[in-house]
Amino acid sequence: DFQMRTITLGSTSITLQLWDTAGQERFRCITEQYYRKADAILVVYDITCSASFTAVREWMDVQHQASFYECSAKTGANMEELMTHMA
C-alpha cells in the first residue's frame, strides 16, 4: 500500500511517501527494493503477538539510527509525533 502525508514544520512543508510492504521473510527481496534509497524506515510489530516482535530482529539490520515510538494504528496515539520525527 502507498500513501502520501504532508507535514508542516515551521514554514516548511514536507511530503512523506509512506509505503506499507509485507514483513514476511518471503517478501524480503521485494521490500529491499523499496527501502534501498529511503531516508527513514519504520519497523512495526503487534504487541499482542510475540512472533511479530521476534520477527523485528530480522529487519533491524537495515537500521543505522533507531528511535522507538510506541504508537497505535487503532487509536492514532503518538502517530503525529512519529511523522514529525521522520520529517
Side-chain angles (χ1 to χ4, degrees):
D1 196 15
F2 172 80
Q3 189 177 50
M4 304 275 287
R5 173 87 185 262
T6 301
I7 295 178
T8 302
L9 296 175
S11 61
T12 305
S13 290
I14 298 170
T15 301
L16 304 174
Q17 294 180 3
L18 305 170
W19 292 85
D20 183 358
T21 63
Q24 293 88 356
E25 181 61 34
R26 62 187 170 148
F27 297 113
R28 191 172 185 112
C29 63
I30 297 169
T31 56
E32 285 178 354
Q33 295 174 29
Y34 286 99
Y35 65 70
R36 183 169 287 132
K37 294 184 179 181
D39 293 316
I41 298 170
L42 297 175
V43 178
V44 299
Y45 62 94
D46 179 350
I47 63 168
T48 65
C49 176
S50 61
S52 173
F53 179 73
T54 302
V56 166
R57 292 182 187 148
E58 299 298 319
W59 293 95
M60 291 306 290
D61 65 341
V62 302
Q63 304 269 336
H64 296 284
Q65 296 175 334
S67 297
F68 179 82
Y69 282 84
E70 187 172 325
C71 301
S72 172
K74 183 176 181 178
T75 67
N78 288 331
M79 292 305 296
E80 204 60 40
E81 293 84 350
L82 172 61
M83 295 298 142
T84 299
H85 180 84
M86 283 184 24

